[in-house]
Amino acid sequence: MNEQTRWTHLTHKQIKQCLSEQSGICVSVQVIKKLLKKHGFKRRKAQKKETLKQMAGRDQQFGRIAELKAQYQQVGNPIISMDTKKKELLGNFYRDGKLYATAAITVNDHDFKSFAKGVVIPAWPL
């Protein structure tokens, strides 16, 4: 992410609460919306635009997957895609959701493990 981009994941209500608690400033949510707009903050979603590198055989790999999918569909078999080893990669990778930012947020166009700075395994809720 661009180091010059300022962002927050806080909601309008949370910003209002923080302002009130930290500096005693009491403003409405409407004022916060106007201030965010005035200072160039917009609701944004990460965009997969930063190309990492070309992988040899990548097109053949996806072509083979498409062939197999078509074969299974022709004979009436169901096709299920699932991630059985859920892990979160640390780094400039795509995360679902939106936040307020002053500029577009770009992330790697692919989430390859080799470009991760680490891996986090989410805790299972008890």
Side-chain angles (χ1 to χ4, degrees):
M1 184 175 1
N2 180 350
E3 298 294 325
Q4 300 299 318
T5 300
R6 296 175 309 194
W7 61 272
T8 181
H9 64 281
L10 298 175
T11 65
H12 299 126
K13 201 176 212 180
Q14 290 169 327
I15 294 171
K16 175 184 174 176
Q17 186 177 359
C18 287
L19 278 172
S20 178
E21 290 172 0
Q22 294 177 9
S23 60
I25 298 172
C26 188
V27 294
S28 71
V29 169
Q30 295 302 324
V31 170
I32 290 168
K33 286 181 183 180
K34 288 179 182 178
L35 286 171
L36 286 170
K37 185 175 181 179
K38 178 182 176 183
H39 292 281
F41 286 83
K42 297 178 183 176
R43 290 285 275 175
R44 298 182 190 265
K45 190 173 183 177
Q47 302 171 10
K48 290 187 174 189
K49 289 188 174 182
E50 294 181 17
T51 304
L52 298 172
K53 66 178 182 179
Q54 297 298 325
M55 304 299 288
R58 183 173 176 269
D59 290 337
Q60 290 91 355
Q61 179 185 21
F62 284 101
R64 180 66 178 143
I65 291 169
E67 288 173 19
L68 290 171
K69 181 179 174 182
Q71 288 175 10
Y72 283 111
Q73 282 178 325
Q74 278 182 339
V75 294
N77 288 328
I79 297 171
I80 301 171
S81 175
M82 65 177 73
D83 183 357
T84 59
K85 299 176 192 106
K86 181 66 177 159
K87 294 179 178 77
E88 293 292 331
L89 301 175
L90 295 177
N92 193 28
F93 300 118
Y94 179 80
R95 300 284 183 265
D96 200 22
K98 296 180 182 178
L99 49 78
Y100 282 96
T102 56
I105 297 170
T106 59
V107 296
N108 299 338
D109 58 354
H110 289 85
D111 296 344
F112 294 126
K113 188 176 180 179
S114 59
F115 290 99
K117 295 177 182 168
V119 177
V120 176
I121 301 170
W124 189 258
L126 300 176

